[in-house]
Structure formats: structure tokens, C-alpha cells
Amino acid sequence: MSHNFLSLLFIVGLMLVAVPPITYLERKVLGHMQQRPGPMVVGPHGILQPLADAIKLIFKEDIIPKGADRLLFMIAPSFSVFAALLAASVVPIGFINAVPMKSALLFVMAMSAISIYALFLAGYSSNDKYSFLAGMRAAAQVLGYELPMGFALMGVVILFGSFDFREIVRWQELHGWGILYQPLAFLIFLIMMVAEVGRPPFDLPEGESELVGGFHTEYSGMRFAAFFFGEYINIIVLSLVVSLLFFGGWSGPFVDKFPVLGVIYQLLKAGFFVFLTFWLRATFPRYRFDQMLKIMWKVFLPLSILNLFIAALEAYVVG
Amino acid sequence: MKEVFFFFFGLLSAVFALMAVLNRNLVKGGVSLLASFVSLAGVYFTVGAEFIGIVQVIVYGGAIIVLYLFALLTVDLKSMKAEPLRLSFLFAGGVLSGALFLIILYAGFFLEGSLSSNVSGASDLARPLFYRFLLPFEVVSVLLLVATIGAVAVARREE
């Protein structure tokens, strides 16, 4: 009981503490990829920038526009943070497993399904055309990515024979990393993960490069920040999931003797995928609405179903 | 302790379901319905059926309600007029919901069972579904296919 509680505290704390440095890193990485220094003013190399951002966001006035649906407008950001933190609670990091659950992978999927309501309701309740359209784009994006993502995960689950992350890692310790068996599922899941957290090239709900932002146009202060807290926590959680499903999670040399090494391995593996989302953001332009739906439904959905057959064959041969 | 959560989520689910029906704003009604479904998932969790609870959230929360709301927002709600209330509709709806209510009441009073289930993981559900009840399962899937094709046919006729 107390071990679980400490783990929960650790994971929630980690998620909340990790977000500000990640925003700093993102801006630095983006900056250097675009041959500019990134934040440089606050502190040496701008290292205190997240702190300055936090202070700014906390002291900003919380504006609720006239004609907005007050209740929905106020609760919309909480969907984002709550769902992301709940998803984080079932994901094990090394020996730290806050809520051991048989169907943990599915639980992560369910919470990601819930988190989309944040964007959708924000768009609807703002009483603003730009927000509204962005909310529609968010809903359409869910309808796009959810099926390929589900099918890609089904392939993995058929191979591993379990929804439980501990079982999945144990399987990989015996047979080798999941990516060796399911490269197609890995690729599809990675792309769908980017679509799910709404990062470029699939940042349709947000539309950051446009003159008017997306669903969060009318938000300010901490409510605005809550969306991005949720988004970054989601990135971390899904990166952890990728590391667990395809890269052996906490497995690695000397983990038997020093369990702490497992935590470090896993965080490094997941960290690479967090970095990858920055990289994609610096590299790709955004897909148009219809292009996004077209590739989701006409390319990735058939591929992910094909992958299901491959997985079944592999499970038959290996298991 | 378990019972407290069971009744808490059950009550929550009923309250949100009532809000979903009574709210005049359709989007708010949809969100209340979502809350009702999630509370129902909470009920499943308290009796140990975590797999069904999670699937409940994914299917109803993640797919169906999103689709409803998406469809609601694409049509102009103000231009839509409600069907005039006919006595036959009221009667049919009343009889159906009354029957459902009686069935649930019967189950609640006369079926004995403990607040724990033996369907917690995916395999516990899959085994009966694909071995013992394979035929009903496939029949239901055909029924769903019929509904899908019917929906497409009805939608196309208006063109």
C-alpha cells in the first residue's frame, strides 16, 4: 500500500516537474534546428525561462469571454490534465509501478480518448468561430487516428499476449525487443502518437503557425497552461509506452543487480521519443484537414490491419 | 469500502443520465452522457471488472460520444425543428422504458450475487465470447452490419 502510494507520488511528481524543463528543451532544440539560439535572456542560456513563463501565466488575468458557456469553458482544461495524469499512473517506470493493472495498456488508450474532450469542449464553449473550427478539427482528428492506433496496438498485444506492461516487458526480455517483430506497428503507433498529442505535422487542433490559434484562442493564464501541461504529460506518457512496447522498457544490462538502472534506461529510451516530437515539429509542415483524414483512413488503417495478420502469424510461430 | 464506491458511482451515473435527458443544450447533454458512461465504468471497476470498465470508456467515451458531438456540431441546430410530440411516441417510449425499469428492478431485488466479478481481464471475457457464445456473438455482429448498411441507404436516399 505505502509502496504504491510512494510510487504514485513519484510518478505524478515526475510528470509535473518534468514539464517546465521539457518546454525549455523544446524551445532550445527547435531554436538550434532552425539555426537560432532559442531563449537566451532569462538566466544563463535562458535556463530560467520556464520559471519566468510560469510566473507570467500564474499572474495573468483569467478571462472568460462574454457569451461563452461558462461551465464547459471552465472545466474543459481539466479534462486534459486529469486524463494525462490518470494515464501516467498506470505506466510503470522500471520497478516503480503506481497502479498495477491487468489492462494497463487499454487504460492508457481510454484516458487518451477522454483527453480529446478538452480540445473539443474548449472549442465549443468559447463562443468563437476560430475555436469552434479548431474543436471540430480536433474531433475529426480523433476519428482519424484512433482506429489505426488501436489496430497497431492490437498487433502488439496479440504478439505479447497481454495488456499488462510488466508481462510485455517480461516477454521482451525472453524474446528480444518488440520492434524486431513489429516494425510496422512501431511506425504506425509513433505517427498516431504524434497525431494524438496534436503535435506537428498533425497539430490541426492547435494550428500554432496560424495567425489565430486553435481551440485555445480565448484562454489565458493557468487555464491556457493546463492544456499544455496535459499535452506535455501526454507526450511523456506515450513515449514511455513506446519504450515499453517496442524497446524492452526497463530491460538492459545489470538491471538485476541495480533496479535503479532500469528506471534510467527507460527514461532514456522514452526521452528519445520526446526529443523526436521536437524534431518532427522543426522538420515538417502541417497536413491539411482532408490530407490528414485521407492518409489516416486510406494508408494507415489498411496497413495496421495488415499488420494484425503479420502479428497473428508471428504469435503462431513464436508462441 | 467497496460498496460505498459502488453506490457512489451508481448514483453519479444515474444523476448524469438524468441531466443528459433533461438538458436543453444538446452539447451539454452529450457531456453529461459522457460523465454518466464514465461513472458506469467506475461501477464496473468497483466490482472488479476492470476490462469491461476500460472498454466502456474507450467505446462510449472515446468513439460514440465524440461522433455524436461531431455530428451535432456539423448541423445547424437552430434550423432543426423538433418532431411534434405524438401520443403514440410517448406511449411506446413509456412502455419500453417502463419494461426496462422493471427488468432492472427485478434483477436488483431477486438475483442474488456478490459485489465481485470473475471477468477482470480480457481473456476472461474472450473465452466465453468466442467459445461458448460464438453463435449469438456472430448473429449480433450481423445485426450491427445490417444497421450500418441501413444507415447508409437511408442517408443516400435523400440526395
Side-chain angles (χ1 to χ4, degrees):
Chain A
M1 181 68 193
S2 68
H3 173 72
N4 278 1
F5 184 70
L6 282 180
S7 306
L8 195 61
L9 222 55
F10 173 80
I11 287 188
V12 172
L14 179 76
M15 293 298 157
L16 293 177
V17 170
V19 170
I22 281 182
T23 61
Y24 170 73
L25 271 180
E26 166 161 42
R27 292 168 75 176
K28 267 299 188 205
V29 167
L30 270 180
H32 284 292
M33 279 181 177
Q34 293 162 349
Q35 305 204 330
R36 58 186 174 82
M40 285 296 270
V41 178
V42 194
H45 283 264
I47 196 146
L48 296 176
Q49 186 66 43
L51 200 68
D53 285 343
I55 292 171
K56 183 197 99 175
L57 285 166
I58 289 170
F59 284 106
K60 225 171 168 181
E61 191 189 349
D62 180 30
I63 300 168
I64 299 177
K66 246 185 195 170
D69 194 320
R70 279 186 73 91
L71 181 68
L72 289 182
F73 188 85
M74 280 160 71
I75 63 168
S78 62
F79 272 93
S80 176
V81 180
F82 266 121
L85 283 178
L86 277 174
S89 68
V90 298
V91 176
I93 303 176
F95 61 93
I96 302 161
N97 192 355
V99 184
M101 192 183 266
K102 258 199 223 166
S103 313
L105 180 58
L106 269 185
F107 189 80
V108 173
M109 291 295 294
M111 287 307 119
S112 84
I114 291 293
S115 72
I116 202 67
Y117 285 96
L119 317 190
F120 187 78
L121 292 179
Y124 167 76
S125 64
S126 294
N127 191 29
D128 169 19
K129 281 172 194 153
Y130 297 107
S131 303
F132 184 80
L133 287 174
M136 297 288 287
R137 290 200 301 270
Q141 182 153 314
V142 187
L143 300 179
Y145 74 71
E146 217 163 44
L147 277 177
M149 192 180 203
F151 274 114
L153 282 182
M154 280 313 111
V156 180
V157 168
I158 285 178
L159 183 62
F160 297 147
S162 176
F163 286 112
D164 189 338
F165 287 121
R166 288 160 299 177
E167 296 277 325
I168 287 170
V169 172
R170 210 165 294 141
W171 192 95
Q172 292 180 75
E173 278 168 351
L174 286 176
H175 298 94
W177 285 3
I179 189 173
L180 302 174
Y181 297 88
Q182 289 278 304
L184 197 58
F186 166 67
L187 209 65
I188 295 170
F189 185 77
L190 200 64
I191 294 167
M192 296 311 137
M193 162 189 148
V194 174
E196 197 205 305
V197 294
R199 306 287 288 179
F202 297 107
D203 64 333
L204 293 151
E206 190 183 340
E208 206 205 3
S209 51
E210 309 296 327
L211 283 177
V212 181
F215 60 90
H216 51 60
T217 307
E218 301 291 344
Y219 280 87
S220 62
M222 281 316 277
R223 285 188 211 284
F224 176 82
F227 284 114
F228 289 94
F229 250 96
E231 185 179 312
Y232 282 102
I233 295 170
N234 236 337
I235 292 175
I236 302 171
V237 169
L238 287 177
S239 301
L240 284 170
V241 169
V242 172
S243 77
L244 283 165
L245 291 183
F246 298 102
F247 293 91
W250 55 83
S251 59
F254 307 116
V255 172
D256 304 339
K257 281 183 194 154
F258 309 101
V260 182
L261 271 179
V263 179
I264 296 170
Y265 289 149
Q266 197 186 343
L267 288 178
L268 282 176
K269 286 168 187 172
F272 174 76
F273 292 100
V274 175
F275 172 73
L276 195 74
T277 60
F278 305 160
W279 193 357
L280 288 174
R281 184 172 170 188
T283 314
F284 287 107
R286 183 167 62 251
Y287 280 104
R288 220 172 46 218
F289 181 76
D290 58 317
Q291 288 171 328
M292 184 272 295
L293 280 178
K294 202 175 276 173
I295 54 172
M296 294 293 186
W297 282 90
K298 291 191 177 164
V299 181
F300 288 121
L301 185 59
L303 272 181
S304 59
I305 293 174
L306 178 75
N307 181 64
L308 208 57
F309 288 102
I310 299 174
L313 200 69
E314 281 171 353
Y316 182 70
V317 173
V318 176
Chain B
M1 198 61 193
K2 215 158 120 185
E3 281 82 355
V4 173
F5 281 108
F6 178 82
F7 288 116
F8 172 72
F9 281 120
L11 195 69
L12 209 61
S13 170
V15 167
F16 276 120
L18 214 60
M19 275 169 66
V21 177
L22 296 179
N23 211 317
R24 294 197 76 87
N25 182 332
L26 276 176
V27 174
K28 270 192 186 169
V31 176
S32 309
L33 199 59
L34 168 74
S36 171
F37 285 149
V38 172
S39 326
L40 207 56
V43 173
Y44 292 140
F45 266 89
T46 53
V47 296
E50 61 173 48
F51 180 77
I52 297 179
I54 294 169
V55 169
Q56 164 91 8
V57 174
I58 292 180
V59 172
Y60 287 97
I64 291 179
I65 303 279
V66 168
L67 206 62
Y68 272 175
L69 292 179
F70 185 66
L72 271 180
L73 295 192
T74 48
V75 296
D76 185 13
L77 290 176
K78 281 178 193 129
S79 71
M80 279 171 71
K81 289 200 180 69
E83 291 255 325
L85 196 65
R86 276 187 226 148
L87 211 61
S88 58
F89 287 175
L90 209 63
F91 181 72
V95 166
L96 274 179
S97 39
L100 194 64
F101 183 70
L102 283 180
I103 290 171
I104 293 172
L105 212 62
Y106 172 77
F109 276 114
F110 296 105
L111 293 184
E112 289 291 321
S114 61
L115 283 186
S116 64
S117 85
N118 45 13
V119 188
S120 68
S123 55
D124 303 327
L125 191 70
R127 237 170 267 284
L129 205 58
F130 287 104
Y131 288 93
R132 229 183 113 198
F133 301 109
L134 184 60
L135 187 68
F137 178 67
E138 291 297 328
V139 169
V140 167
S141 74
V142 170
L143 198 68
L144 288 177
L145 188 66
V146 169
T148 313
I149 294 170
V152 171
V154 168
R156 280 183 71 90
R157 198 172 295 155
E158 287 175 6
E159 277 178 13

